[in-house]
Amino acid sequence: MDLAHCSLNSVTVKGAGLTEVADLAEQWGFGGVGLWRDVLDGVDLADASARLRRSGLRVTSVCRGGMFPQPTAQLRREAMDDNRVAVDQAHALGADCLVLVCGAAHGDLAGARRQVHDGIAELEPYARAAGVRLAVEPMHPMMASSRSVITSLSEANDLVEAIGSDIVGIALDSYHVWWDAALPQQIARAGERLFSVQLADWVTPIHGELSSRGMPGEGCIDMTGFVADCRNAGYSGLVEVEILSDRWWAADPKEAVHAAANGLAAV
């Protein structure tokens, strides 16, 4: 892929600040950046947004909102307050979407899924007023107890359809969904509700559920087929490279971006 059609997610070069992430993206010819909220701490978002626009960089996502299931009403209120802050940040940056990592089970899986639905429905009017799209990210089933009870694209499609809002869609990461036999059909079903497409490869053995990902081409995922299915379904946005990897985090950020660029070139 042409890097102008791609976005560099900040977590791929974890530890780099917003300025360095933007500089690396601009130097390599990426069309955009995806931003985890840690790089926004202490940053004047109006200045940052202007700097990114001058560089020709689009903000493809802000990560993350979500974490709706909570064991107490007070914690649920605090999570919703944080979600509103995340919406405000995405609005200030003109981001394509706010990614929702929906939240883990707390002993009641069905109840947690109801809280996810109800939390998104509650956040939707605030996001709509801010002009921010919400993108549900289905995650690998191994993360149901730690990060999200939405564990397949089918379930994410059901959730989004049940909410029935044109600003609520899906963030689809190859790492989480590649294994699903029904993936091509579910991508086609998602269609115009695909708000974000992210790439990371599955490399075995897994040494940590969060930080074992590979650059495109390092593992077993058919990246070309995955991107083609998303494009055929109607996705026209930039494709993010989002690599959570102890190996690549230990490398120099320039080396990591070089590896990402090489991997994307083969997709």
Side-chain angles (χ1 to χ4, degrees), residues 84 115 136 138:
R84 295 188 184 98
Q115 287 187 38
V136 173

Side-chain angles (χ1 to χ4, degrees), residues 1 74 81 119 133 172 181 238:
M1 289 192 295
Q74 176 62 30
D81 289 344
R133 300 193 302 176
L172 195 63
L238 304 186

Side-chain angles (χ1 to χ4, degrees), residues 46 77 106 112 163-164 175 177 198 210-211 253 256 264 267:
R77 284 193 294 271
H106 294 279
I163 291 171
Y175 181 82
V177 299
Q198 299 174 326
L210 187 66
S211 57
L264 290 167
V267 176

Side-chain angles (χ1 to χ4, degrees), residues 45-106:
L45 296 184
D47 286 349
S49 181
R51 181 256 190 263
L52 292 167
R53 286 196 303 272
R54 286 194 301 271
S55 301
L57 293 169
R58 175 171 158 186
V59 179
T60 49
S61 68
V62 169
C63 183
R64 62 175 164 71
M67 295 299 168
F68 298 106
Q70 298 292 337
T72 69
Q74 176 62 30
L75 289 174
R76 285 193 290 276
R77 284 193 294 271
E78 291 174 4
M80 189 57 65
D81 289 344
D82 184 64
N83 273 292
R84 295 188 184 98
V85 172
V87 167
D88 293 343
Q89 291 173 321
H91 169 75
L93 292 164
D96 290 351
C97 65
L98 173 65
V99 174
L100 301 180
V101 177
C102 290
H106 294 279

Side-chain angles (χ1 to χ4, degrees), residues 131-149:
V132 172
R133 300 193 302 176
L134 305 175
V136 173
E137 182 174 12
M139 292 198 159
H140 193 278
M142 69 179 171
M143 296 186 179
S145 68
S146 59
R147 285 175 178 79
S148 182
V149 294

